[in-house]
Amino acid sequence: MEWETVIGLEVHAQLKTKSKIFSGAPTAYGAAPNTQANVVDAALPGVLPVLNGEAVRMAARLGLAIGATVHKRSVFARKNYFYPDLPKGYQISQYEHPIVEHGRLAITTASGEKIIGITRAHLEEDAGKSLHEDMGGFTGIDLNRAGTPLLEIVSEPDMRSAAEAVAYLKTLHTLVRYLEICDGNMQEGSFRCDANVSVRPLGETRLGTRAELKNINSFRFVERAIEYEVRRQIALLSSGGQVRQETRLYDSARDETRSMRSKEEANDYRYFPDPDLPTLLLTDAFLAEVKDAMPELPDAKRRRFCEQYGLSVYDAGVLTASREMAQYYEDAVKAADVEPKLVANWVTGELAARLNEEGLDIACAKVTAQGLAGLVRRVADGTVSGKMAKDVFEAMWAGEGDADAIIGARGLRQISDDSAIEEVVRQVIAANPKQLAQYRAGEEKVFTFFVGQTMKASRGKANPAKVNEILKRLLAP
Amino acid sequence: MVACNGSTLHRIPLLNAEEIEKVAHLARLGLNREEREAYALDLSRILDLVSQMNAVATDGVEPMTHPDEAGLRLRPDGVSGEIDRDRLLAIAPKTRDGLYLVPKVIE
Amino acid sequence: MTLTITKIAEDLAAGRCSSREIVDDLLVRIKAHSALNAFISVDEDAARQGAEAADRARRAGAGVLAGVPIAHKDIFCTSGVKTTCGSRMLADFVPPYDATVVEKMKAAGCVMVGKTNMDEFAMGSSNETSFFGPVRNPWDPQRVPGGSSGGSAAAVAARLVPGATGTDTGGSIRQPAALCGITGLKPSYGRVSRYGLIAFASSLDQAGPLAQSAADCAHLLSAMAGFDVRDATSLDVPVPDYAATLGKDLKGLRIGVVKEHFAQGVEPAVLDVLREALREYERQGAVLVDVSLPNSAHAVPCYYVLAPAEASSNLARYDGVRYGFRAAEYKDLEDMYKKTRSEGFGPEVKRRIMIGTYALSAGYYDAYYLKALKLRRLIADDFARAFERCDVLAGPASPSTAFALGAKNTDPVSMYLNDIFTIPVNLAGLPALSMPAGFVGGLPVGMQLIGRYLDEARLLNVAHRFQEVTDWHARVPAGI
């Protein structure tokens, strides 16, 4: 039997606010335990939540970016359950009336563009952290994360493969960083994902029983976890078994998912509207303000890069993968004042490779956009060859100065003067009579030998185009 | 024993012991048998009182969650107030190394 | 010793006495009447120091309330001072912060002499659910003072303090004020900040003053009320100087007489007292208008869904992890939760947590919680309709005078029905007060006056005009 995979994703994006969603405590990551939790976060008797307007603005920004309805009326509810890192005994979350509904996101798949529906996005608060290790039989509770604003973005079950799920996640990841609402740091848990996975016989329209996969904190793990889970479900169904609706934890060390029995206990969250927080009402003016402050979105930027800079769809895609990368490119193009495609080659080539090698973010690049522009300009005007420019780039990366200074100091200036090159070529020909005879006898491949010898003799500085041209002329019988 | 004091003529408790236990568990209240029975009766009486609401037709009535319907006020995003961790932890039953301690949670 | 706030303020301003002298005197009285059990904690040293500080401040020029001793209900968090909420759960809880009400009254110069007893987590109408024992009614120690602000009401009635704070979720200021023969005001929802007030039912809780007279309540309310950025339900509207608006005559005032409140279920003698009070208003030029609040009959059932539902969630934070009581022995986390909560909470609190949990649980939400929210709307609409025809509503604050200790302990429902006249007001979020209107069998009778939203000034004036020509509010229990 042929099977179809059905995947829906729930993403929890931590919003980049300075303070918590309902308190004035800071949201810094990695601080000493319980130093970022104030009386409100610790749920002392008598404290009250007050909503952070910036979190609302960020949610609305995402809503507009995915073409969703941003509701003028939304409601915060309490989700009641006991857990030691949930100080109030309830989580404030939007339930029946979320702020954002009915959006969509276009992703690029192997077979072209695909639209993934986004059911809803709602605001809620994060819980604290439970630390189970080295506590001498106890669990330690750190409330620093408690009250950090989250936007939970829930997709429709529109994805049909792990690859599509990853494409969706990456697109969404790019988007939230573009919108500057989330730093996207998956290791620190700023961008977390749960996947609802089910399979069904191809052609079946009803959904199969799904499993919810938790704890998948990298794109790679998302792919692996889903692939494992799909195999597991197909094997189960093929052998006459049934998939149980349950929560499963992905264990990246073993590359498998396993049932979280402790969460199986039927929960009854007793949602009800939070009486401490009246209905959230958004005005037209508020929404207009959010709209006016919207940055250019990835799709629009990619299209513009193709048109304005004459780039391929692929290059434009790479250059717009993040807002910072796109900004770097545009700054470099502006400063270089040369063919934009040449700048693109350098950004997507040498620079991207170096960043990747060192695991750096574009913001930490050791060659600035202006610096790179200076180098590309010297390539364009023939001062250095492309090959030499790579050495210059390395030197710039190592902090040896700007392109012109390095070219000057190392004497890397390309020799483009015809008479100087001719002089070298004559010497090379004179020193290799045997090869000259072979060439003149029709062995054209000996030509590259002469090019190599000439470059060697000029210590790489001869302009290769000129060398070619002059060699052809002087080798001719 | 409590039943004898009941002022209302109560036929069968609306809630059985199992339901009481389920509710007590949701609320994380540990009840002994005696308490379960007492609460079963009390809750049944209260639910009897509460069921008087059914005498009123409320079709199409907009639920009223807050007395003030002006809408939620938003706070500007800024860090405010200080955090005195030592003072907060000092009132906790059990702490170590800046953490609140609870019996080990089994994941 | 029957000093009112108004009189103390005058004496202090004229230099006839010092705050320290008044506080010393009150501390002696508090000790002498400790059998009333009105206080959970009294910090004599802090009170004396506070009074001395106020005396110094007064010399530099200070507000009306500078140096005036008051007590706070033990539901308001006081920084560095034990705040129990009448519960074993918080018996040793010392908050690291002040409630906004506490902060504001401190800023106004009030001197706190202690924290008053109350029903556990404000759940009760007799003050018998307190972990620290029942409060006794100064008019008859065998009777209840009402609740949940019973300690505050008894303390004012026994002249242990000239004024006190209270909270009112379903009548917890007005009913004890009525049963103790004092004046107590529940302001409009949102008028006074709830920050630092330990929550019972968040959409109904409101803090207010208890004192001997409406004029005294006016002074206290001016200090307590006002916008607070820390409470999202706090109203950002200016606070009038309530004392300054007192004295307007009542000619043409339309008093709505609620048909359903003058009906069976109320002690006939109580109704007689109220009718007489209404005649006094007519003598002052007010006009009586018959009005009806048909849905108020269902306010008690509605309230006993909504308040416990909110409470079941509000009280989930008492889990023995970050503060408060934790059971001594437990097997594991679940056991710790269950033992901590069943040992830390008293029977009435557990009863309400149970009913609230049940009402919100899967399958029952629509039948109970949602139904109650709709009914709440109808009840509020009734008031809106009534206020088209009148300016204030009048009726009993309680169906009877103070009842005997233990009389309503066995059947929760009979206790709940005691709040039948006060509860609808909380559901609608309106302001209301109770003031002494006469006596039945030596026990005070309270009249409830209900106002339009944010119309506290008018309510206080209407009560004040009555108190200018009557002395019910000035009567003192025997032996006090």
Side-chain angles (χ1 to χ4, degrees):
Chain A
M1 190 191 295
E2 272 212 75
W3 297 90
E4 183 179 46
T5 303
V6 177
I7 303 160
L9 296 177
E10 290 172 18
V11 168
H12 285 87
Q14 261 182 21
L15 297 177
K16 264 182 17 180
T17 53
K18 295 187 202 73
S19 61
K20 301 217 168 139
I21 183 166
F22 297 118
S23 91
T27 53
Y29 178 83
N34 289 309
T35 56
Q36 313 283 299
N38 66 14
V39 292
V40 175
D41 305 313
L44 258 65
V47 298
L48 295 171
V50 184
L51 182 59
N52 186 337
E54 194 56 28
V56 177
R57 221 163 271 130
M58 288 176 171
R61 208 180 296 160
L62 177 92
L64 294 178
I66 57 172
T69 307
V70 179
H71 289 294
K72 288 187 177 171
R73 185 180 168 280
S74 63
V75 175
F76 286 94
R78 293 184 181 179
K79 179 182 183 181
N80 295 283
Y81 65 96
F82 284 86
Y83 203 76
D85 61 21
L86 186 74
K88 294 187 293 293
Y90 57 85
Q91 179 198 29
I92 305 177
S93 176
Q94 296 189 310
Y95 180 57
E96 265 189 293
H97 303 284
I99 181 165
V100 170
E101 265 186 308
H102 316 306
R104 62 198 179 283
L105 199 61
I107 63 169
T108 308
T109 70
S111 50
E113 186 173 271
K114 179 171 177 176
I115 302 294
I116 306 296
I118 292 179
T119 318
R120 58 186 275 158
H122 68 255
L123 285 164
E124 62 183 27
E125 57 180 345
D126 210 341
K129 272 186 181 156
S130 298
L131 308 162
H132 306 297
E133 268 90 56
D134 306 323
M135 287 290 151
F138 292 95
T139 290
I141 306 296
D142 174 9
L143 298 180
N144 281 353
R145 203 180 63 182
T148 300
L150 294 177
L151 190 62
E152 181 175 338
I153 305 157
V154 183
S155 86
E156 293 287 321
D158 285 350
M159 286 149 279
R160 293 291 172 269
S161 67
E164 283 187 13
V166 171
Y168 166 83
L169 266 189
K170 284 188 170 166
T171 309
L172 186 59
H173 188 250
T174 301
L175 180 63
V176 295
R177 284 179 305 144
Y178 253 82
L179 296 171
E180 293 188 316
I181 64 175
C182 172
D183 69 19
N185 191 323
M186 295 177 86
Q187 282 74 47
E188 292 179 4
S190 306
F191 190 85
R192 313 197 285 264
C193 170
D194 300 336
N196 289 311
V197 179
S198 64
V199 297
R200 61 184 173 193
L202 197 62
E204 171 65 63
T205 49
R206 280 171 308 170
L207 290 170
T209 307
R210 67 188 156 88
E212 188 181 3
L213 309 185
K214 288 209 179 274
N215 194 33
I216 29 190
N217 56 5
S218 80
F219 294 125
R220 200 159 51 106
F221 291 163
V222 168
E223 188 152 20
R224 285 193 186 173
I226 292 173
E227 280 171 354
Y228 174 88
E229 182 59 20
V230 168
R231 282 197 304 274
R232 186 187 73 87
Q233 291 187 13
I234 291 174
L236 202 58
L237 293 171
S238 302
S239 63
Q242 278 193 327
V243 173
R244 209 151 58 108
Q245 180 157 348
E246 61 181 352
T247 302
R248 298 179 68 86
L249 197 70
Y250 177 65
D251 182 338
S252 58
R254 294 182 180 181
D255 189 23
E256 62 178 30
T257 66
R258 60 186 146 80
S259 182
M260 288 175 77
R261 291 227 164 67
S262 60
K263 296 251 173 179
E264 283 318 292
E265 178 191 322
N267 247 321
D268 182 348
Y269 292 121
R270 290 159 285 135
Y271 284 98
F272 75 105
D274 191 327
D276 286 327
L277 295 162
T279 305
L280 174 59
L281 302 175
L282 300 183
T283 61
D284 288 327
F286 180 93
L287 292 174
E289 199 185 293
V290 172
K291 199 168 186 182
D292 287 347
M294 281 290 264
E296 186 182 23
L297 297 179
D299 267 349
K301 196 171 284 239
R302 196 181 317 120
R303 275 195 298 276
R304 180 170 64 81
F305 274 28
C306 291
E307 286 162 21
Q308 187 177 340
Y309 302 125
L311 303 179
S312 67
V313 173
Y314 176 81
D315 279 351
V318 173
L319 290 172
T320 56
S322 78
R323 200 165 154 180
E324 292 76 16
M325 176 71 96
Q327 190 61 49
Y328 185 102
Y329 172 69
E330 294 209 274
D331 287 348
V333 166
K334 206 169 155 202
D337 193 25
V338 300
E339 179 60 32
K341 172 70 183 151
L342 185 60
V343 180
N345 291 345
W346 276 88
V347 175
T348 59
E350 290 306 300
L351 181 79
R354 212 69 181 78
L355 289 171
N356 196 30
E357 238 167 71
E358 300 192 12
L360 289 177
D361 199 76
I362 185 91
C364 308
K366 291 174 187 163
V367 173
T368 63
Q370 283 69 26
L372 186 73
L375 176 61
V376 177
R377 207 159 43 230
R378 293 295 161 252
V379 176
D381 70 11
T383 305
V384 289
S385 66
K387 188 165 174 298
M388 282 191 290
K390 289 182 182 175
D391 295 335
V392 177
F393 179 84
E394 288 305 315
M396 290 171 76
W397 191 269
E400 289 176 27
D402 67 20
D404 285 343
I406 292 165
I407 291 166
R410 296 195 171 182
L412 294 173
R413 194 167 291 277
Q414 181 165 264
I415 302 166
S416 297
D417 175 49
D418 281 12
S419 59
I421 295 172
E422 208 171 301
E423 181 56 40
V424 179
V425 170
R426 282 186 195 285
Q427 285 169 14
V428 169
I429 292 172
N432 298 288
K434 195 174 128 207
Q435 283 79 4
L436 176 68
Q438 285 171 336
Y439 180 79
R440 288 191 172 160
E443 283 185 49
E444 290 199 357
K445 63 177 194 269
V446 185
F447 186 79
T448 52
F449 166 80
F450 283 104
V451 174
Q453 290 300 305
T454 307
M455 293 307 289
K456 196 176 167 189
S458 73
R459 282 180 292 137
K461 289 191 279 184
N463 181 325
K466 291 263 168 85
V467 171
N468 267 340
E469 176 200 315
I470 292 166
L471 264 174
K472 277 213 176 100
R473 180 157 50 83
L474 296 182
L475 285 173
Chain B
M1 142 199 141
V2 181
C4 313
N5 297 332
S7 57
T8 46
L9 225 172
H10 229 284
R11 299 145 305 262
I12 345 142
L14 295 168
L15 289 173
N16 59 39
E18 201 179 310
E19 284 172 299
I20 288 288
E21 189 46 43
K22 197 189 115 201
V23 174
H25 175 69
L26 279 176
R28 296 300 185 275
L29 291 172
L31 304 181
N32 59 32
R33 211 181 120 239
E34 208 172 292
E35 284 176 306
R36 270 199 298 274
E37 283 170 8
Y39 281 129
L41 184 71
D42 284 352
L43 261 57
S44 298
R45 279 176 175 164
I46 297 167
L47 290 175
D48 210 30
L49 168 77
V50 159
S51 68
Q52 291 173 18
M53 293 195 301
N54 297 328
V56 188
T58 52
D59 298 342
V61 176
E62 180 69 18
M64 177 174 170
T65 50
H66 296 89
D68 166 30
E69 299 186 303
L72 192 47
R73 195 178 55 245
L74 300 178
R75 172 176 67 83
D77 181 27
V79 174
S80 61
E82 53 189 52
I83 295 165
D84 188 342
R85 179 177 80 170
D86 294 344
R87 204 168 171 195
L88 278 173
L89 291 181
I91 57 173
K94 198 171 177 69
T95 63
R96 188 193 299 162
D97 301 335
L99 297 163
Y100 297 100
L101 288 194
V102 298
K104 195 163 178 80
V105 178
I106 302 121
E107 281 287 300
Chain C
M1 168 93 188
T2 57
L3 288 183
T4 61
I5 289 172
T6 313
K7 183 71 168 58
I8 290 171
E10 280 169 21
D11 286 353
L12 288 173
R16 283 192 287 271
C17 64
S18 69
S19 176
R20 171 66 200 257
E21 286 163 353
I22 296 170
V23 164
D24 279 340
D25 189 42
L26 291 179
L27 291 173
V28 171
R29 293 182 59 77
I30 288 170
K31 239 182 216 152
H33 293 285
S34 60
L36 291 174
N37 201 23
F39 284 86
I40 288 175
S41 53
V42 177
D43 187 341
E44 300 200 351
D45 293 340
R48 290 196 182 96
Q49 281 163 22
E52 282 168 13
D55 285 331
R56 285 192 299 275
R58 177 162 291 279
R59 278 179 217 121
V64 185
L65 292 176
V68 172
I70 53 125
H72 284 300
K73 183 178 182 179
D74 211 17
I75 199 169
F76 293 100
C77 285
T78 42
S79 184
V81 179
K82 199 173 71 167
T83 301
T84 69
C85 219
S87 181
R88 182 184 190 194
M89 189 62 92
L90 294 175
D92 298 310
F93 173 63
V94 178
Y97 77 105
D98 274 333
T100 299
V101 163
V102 172
E103 208 174 77
K104 286 177 87 93
M105 297 193 78
K106 223 180 242 177
C110 290
V111 178
M112 181 180 86
V113 298
K115 308 282 299 280
T116 58
N117 203 344
M118 55 181 285
D119 278 302
E120 185 179 6
F121 281 100
M123 297 177 189
S125 309
S126 67
N127 224 301
E128 292 168 294
T129 72
S130 171
F131 176 65
F132 301 92
V135 176
R136 288 164 186 278
N137 192 319
W139 293 93
D140 177 352
Q142 299 312 312
R143 291 177 187 271
V144 303
S148 65
S149 311
S152 287
V156 172
R159 309 305 192 239
L160 308 183
V161 278
T165 56
T167 59
D168 190 317
T169 306
S172 282
I173 288 175
R174 292 159 288 158
Q175 186 254 16
L179 269 46
C180 288
I182 63 165
T183 308
L185 170 74
K186 181 203 92 77
S188 310
Y189 185 83
R191 177 87 276 189
V192 177
S193 167
R194 292 186 298 115
Y195 187 77
L197 182 177
I198 299 178
F200 160 15
S202 312
S203 80
L204 302 159
D205 294 344
Q206 185 61 192
L210 296 100
Q212 288 173 45
S213 66
D216 282 5
C217 283
H219 284 302
L220 293 175
L221 182 61
S222 289
M224 294 170 81
F227 175 62
D228 182 6
V229 292
R230 292 173 297 189
D231 174 2
T233 61
S234 158
L235 292 172
D236 193 0
V237 292
V239 179
D241 180 348
Y242 293 109
T245 60
L246 299 177
K248 247 183 90 201
D249 74 59
L250 303 183
K251 277 197 189 71
L253 177 83
R254 297 169 302 166
I255 299 179
V257 180
V258 185
K259 190 175 77 183
E260 293 83 358
H261 292 191
F262 284 81
Q264 71 178 111
V266 187
E267 269 181 34
V270 166
L271 291 183
D272 290 343
V273 166
L274 298 179
R275 288 199 187 95
E276 180 48 39
L278 289 174
R279 276 194 284 279
E280 172 51 40
Y281 276 119
E282 284 182 303
R283 281 194 285 278
Q284 293 200 28
V287 183
L288 302 187
V289 183
D290 283 329
V291 296
S292 172
L293 300 172
N295 290 297
S296 279
H298 306 290
V300 174
C302 172
Y303 176 88
Y304 277 95
V305 170
L306 298 181
E310 292 183 19
S312 70
S313 174
N314 282 335
L315 271 60
R317 68 189 57 197
Y318 305 104
D319 56 4
V321 176
R322 296 163 316 284
Y323 48 79
F325 177 77
R326 182 190 281 196
E329 283 171 28
Y330 39 84
K331 293 197 301 280
D332 54 22
L333 180 71
E334 285 292 297
D335 197 38
M336 182 193 93
Y337 280 152
K338 288 187 177 176
K339 286 212 171 83
T340 294
R341 291 168 60 77
S342 45
E343 292 168 23
F345 292 136
E348 181 60 22
V349 170
K350 284 190 265 190
R351 193 176 287 130
R352 296 207 197 180
I353 290 175
M354 293 281 289
I355 197 79
T357 303
Y358 180 79
L360 290 174
S361 65
Y364 299 107
Y365 181 89
D366 285 6
Y368 293 113
Y369 190 75
L370 195 62
K371 178 83 184 176
L373 287 181
K374 291 178 172 186
L375 200 48
R376 182 176 189 178
R377 168 84 56 199
L378 295 179
I379 290 165
D381 288 350
D382 279 356
F383 279 107
R385 221 168 291 121
F387 279 119
E388 286 168 7
R389 301 180 51 226
C390 59
D391 305 308
V392 296
L393 299 174
S398 171
S400 68
T401 54
F403 47 90
L405 282 159
K408 300 191 181 187
N409 266 348
T410 46
D411 178 10
V413 169
S414 75
M415 186 70 93
Y416 297 169
L417 290 170
N418 207 53
D419 293 334
I420 188 160
F421 304 127
T422 47
I423 279 173
V425 178
N426 298 77
L427 291 170
L430 300 175
L433 60 74
S434 172
M435 61 163 186
F439 284 80
V440 169
L443 295 169
V445 170
M447 173 181 251
Q448 176 171 233
L449 294 171
I450 306 166
R452 293 196 186 97
Y453 198 51
L454 291 180
D455 212 6
E456 287 85 358
R458 188 200 305 263
L459 275 186
L460 287 165
N461 184 52
V462 172
H464 177 69
R465 294 294 290 191
F466 183 80
Q467 292 178 340
E468 280 185 323
V469 297
T470 58
D471 71 346
W472 307 115
H473 64 289
R475 301 216 179 165
V476 182
I480 294 300

